[in-house]
Amino acid sequence: MPTILAAETTQAADATGVFALSWLLIALPLLGAAVLLLGGRRTDKFGHLLGTAMPFAAFVIGVVQFVAMLGRDPENRTFSQHLYTWLPVGSFQVDAGLLVDQLSMCFVLLITGVGTLIHIYSIGYMEHDPDRRRFFGYLNLFIAAMLLLVLADSYLLLYVGWEGVGLASYLLIGFWSYVPEYAAAAKKAFVANRVGDFGLSIAIMIMFAQFGSVSFDGVFAGADGASEGALTAIGLMLLLAACGKSAQFPLQSWLGDAMAGPTPVSALIHAATMVTAGVYLIVRSAPVFNGAPDAQLVVVIVGAITLIFGAIVGTAKDDIKKALAASTMSQIGYMMLAAGLGPIGYAFAIFHLLTHGFFKAGMFLGAGSVMHGMNNQVEMRRFGGISSVMKITWITFGLGWLAIIGVPPFSGFWSKDKIIEAAFVGEGWRPWVFGGAALIGAGVTAFYMTRLFLMTFHGERRWTDDVHPHESPKIMTIPLMVLAIGSAALGLILGPTNALVHWLEPVTGAHGEEAPVLSVPVLTGLTLLLIAVGVAWAYSLYVRQPVPEVAPAGSVLTRAARRDLYQDAVNESLLMRPGQYLTRFLVWFDNRVVDGAVNGLAALLGGTSGRFRRLQTGFVRSYALSMFLGAALLVGAMLLVRL
Amino acid sequence: MSALSVSATFAAAEFQTPSIEYSKLMPMLIVFGVALVGVLIEAFMGRTGRHQVQLILSIAGLVAAFVSVTMLAGDNQIAAVGAVAVDGPALFLQGTILLLAIPGVLTMAERSLDRGGVFTSAGSSTPGSEHERVLTATGVTQTEVFPLTMFAVGGMLLFPAANDLLTMFVALEVLSLPLYLLCGLARRRRLLSQEASLKYFLLGAFSSAFFLYGIALLYGYSGTVRLSGIAEAVSSNSGSDTLLMTGTALLAVGLLFKVGAAPFHSWTPDVYQGAPTPITGFMAACTKVAAFGALLRVLYVGLGGLAWQWEPVMWGVAILTMVVGSVVALTQTDVKRMLAYSSIAHAGFILTGLVATDTVDPDTGAVLGVSSVLFYLLAYGFITIGAFAVVTLVRDAGGEATHLSQWAGLARRSPLVAAVFTLFLAAFAGIPLTSGFTGKFAVFSAAIAGDAAPLVVIGVVMSAVAAFFYFRVVVLMFFNAPAPDGPAVAVPSPLTTVAITLSVAVTVLLGVWPTQVLDLADRASQFVR
């Protein structure tokens, strides 16, 4: 894939060898989904095993490809696989093809690796659910769509995957759709995503109008000489898409409700993979954003707002899954902020995305394990002191906690610290504002994650009488352990060595060394100081003092945070109400004006139809007459044309 | 076969034995051979087991003929002393007809939906008579339908391959006569079926007369019935223009009657409704393929030099056909009649591709008018066979429940059948990722390349009108409450299941992955002249 900023232009080689198997990455989970969903009850017995085997097989292929890729020069690590041409129409071709390069490889490994672990965990978690097979079918469908999203070589095919993951997400949030609130949550997620999807489809249309192509190659080649206005328009529309899918301000409201889905779904889709698709979209579209500084600025602003917003909401939530969801929103805010910074931030955005994929998935699964032991309760005020009865969950969750708040040497420290440093690079007011936001966000994160961790695992036991917490079975704890190892060590492997930055350089482009406005040790010291303050504050509030079992009234800010900073109220008054008025007006307009026209047209057609129909008398003689007249007409016309 | 032209050419020479390239005619020979064997079986074999033997024989014959078509692929020559062309379009259409005939025959052989099958126990018995009652009680069926169908298929194979007008006329009659009979053999509603048969016969004979008179006038103009000879005469501009124009028009009437184009369509709804549904599906798909093939050959090979003359007329016919088909379908209340009008509308859509004439795609060298029509016919044929096969499944005590009100809420009772029918309706409407979309896209882009953009605008508008009545049925099936005494969906034997599955597979495949077949149609788009 030629990117304009790549140090050397890399040309995609035709996929051969193991890379020719790329289509299998998508086909295997898709086959799994087809068998499980079409096979019906017949596949109940082995459904979960097949459903787990498929992403695992894809993971194996991914690892083999990764190793093969490592063995090649950095410039020759891009492979394209042409699948088929849908409609060849002269010079315009709609091709379906896959692109395997360093960036998509990162995602393939994350999706299939973490995906497989979560499938294994789900075998235990969903054991008593009568619809477990259907659940695995949807999960496989999700894996296939997500892989299509990251492997597509054109925006059009990416869009197919984009819609696919949206569908899978909808199906899985509403998996227990007999609960009305869950069905409503699924609908809310669907609608919010739809707003974003419009952005993507408009972006694709602008691309086609501007560059005559929707493939990555064609668009990026065209972006080189395109006007900044066009690139800004495309960039903003892509950002809208990213905001919808990644729950960024102002389209973030669905993510909290999406926790209605089974917890493995929250871990896989609403923490580790799907919600990061927006970050992928922006990093993948680097050549577009590099030519549109205004769009980049908006990306950074959105990221900064969301990271603070999510962190504040996270401080007040008492529902363990909703608190984690707020944290996801905030962490993706970090990634967006990094992605908006341009070449300096792309690699760090992906770096944080990968480490976050591990520790957040681990913590969600940990939360699921706690719920498993606590009769599916999610209210943290009724937890406390669980560390003694669920040792493995406690330790693995603890590693995830250390990673997310950014304690060295755990993963989150390496990736988040880099983003904070990058945010402080620049001139004028920007580094201070965005860097400051990232820095404060780190402190607040430390506070609310410590609060979550301590309220759940430490302090006195505030359990309701009917629960008897116990450690989860091995099939659930082993994935926890693997993810915990990743949470602890992934950053250490990729961070200090700069391995990921170099790995991604051919895709994201190189950037020179730029010093932040404050020196790096000062920044790191400040960050660690803020984290320490956050942890200490949470400790003093939630361990030193007893936690009330019923939430106290709280301050104005707490109440606001509990209600997602009035996001739903804002949506209601800004979007829903005017929307309702608009629809009422449209209904009126439709009834009076449009229907008049449509009904008139329909009446005209219907009337014509009725009149024509009367010609169909059923008498052969009149048919013969009409044929005769037709023949006469034809002969007359032929003779007339000659004259 | 082509006695006139042979005698015209060799009048002075001493008589020579005509050379017949049997290998090139193999597909037709196989089908006619199977038909004759079928007649012998009818004559000499006992009643028990006859049905199975005939079915197996017919399917085997169709498959063997299809295989021999694929073995001839790439041939480009004239065989049988100039009577038969073996070229890309002919072979593509023969393959299409044979492929369509397989699900067609399978649905005809279905016997588990209605005791004794869809055909009457004896066509000769008077409806409602004691004779009929006794025969019906024995549960027998007329197995003559199989050889009749094979004769019709044989005629259909010859029709688009005929290289002189007399051969074409013979083929027309060979394919038509068995169809007239087959239309009248329904087990239920026999009077309606016999009426359909009689109407079809009378009007068919009427149109044959036009066709024959057209041949006579063209012979009068050019002194030959060979298409290449007529083309020569047209280019050298000898003879009377009035003869040529009138002959062309009359010949076109005969062919347009067979494709069901307006204003020669009036038989279609009555016959489609009255005929046994499997016959309707077979006829709607295969006859249309064969007749369009013949129309293409006559207009492109014989009268290609006259294109600027017949093109405006064909514009008019195409517009009228699309409008009549789409608009009249709006008020239909019977699903078979609705599909009949839909088939008229589709004839109009195909005609838009046909008027692209000899415009050649600069990239592939394909003749767009031909390749787009070839593809459309294949796509349309399978949608049609499948849709009519689904119609046979929705039944109540009186047989098939074809009134649209009876289809309300069908999805509640049988979501699978409703979903399959929805797929076919979506394909008829031309929704992307179905073969109908690809086909419409092909003919419309061919028409644009052939400078017929206004025709395409009308085509798209009429597609929108047509989408209304297709989706009205979808809404009816999925969102309306079922009638309390509504029909049930019968579970068919594997025969119909295979036929429907095949149609679904082709419809989806040609929508999602049409490239191979589009390429094939492109390569097969050159007529031998």
Side-chain angles (χ1 to χ4, degrees), chain A residues 212-233:
Chain A
S213 167
V214 292
S215 71
F216 290 151
D217 280 349
V219 171
F220 299 160
D224 219 353
S227 71
E228 197 182 310
L231 291 180
T232 306

Side-chain angles (χ1 to χ4, degrees), chain A residues 210-277:
Chain A
Q210 282 285 322
F211 313 128
S213 167
V214 292
S215 71
F216 290 151
D217 280 349
V219 171
F220 299 160
D224 219 353
S227 71
E228 197 182 310
L231 291 180
T232 306
I234 295 174
L236 290 178
M237 284 300 122
L238 289 176
L239 175 64
L240 180 63
C243 285
K245 196 61 80 191
S246 296
Q248 297 294 291
F249 182 82
L251 296 178
Q252 81 284 24
S253 64
W254 64 272
L255 188 62
D257 293 338
M259 296 303 127
T263 306
V265 171
S266 312
L268 177 61
I269 300 185
H270 304 117
T273 55
M274 184 190 84
V275 285
T276 59

Side-chain angles (χ1 to χ4, degrees), chain B residues 48 105 113-114 187 246 277-278 346 348 365-366 386 451 462 505 509 516:
Chain B
T48 46
V105 169
L113 294 174
D114 208 348
R187 175 173 287 269
T246 316
T277 306
H346 281 277
D451 291 328
M462 282 305 135
L509 190 72
Q516 305 292 330

Side-chain angles (χ1 to χ4, degrees), chain B residues 213-225 238-240 243-244:
Chain B
Y213 196 39
I215 296 176
L217 292 179
L218 285 177
Y219 182 75
Y221 168 77
S222 62
T224 173
V225 290
S238 58
S240 152
L243 281 183
L244 175 63

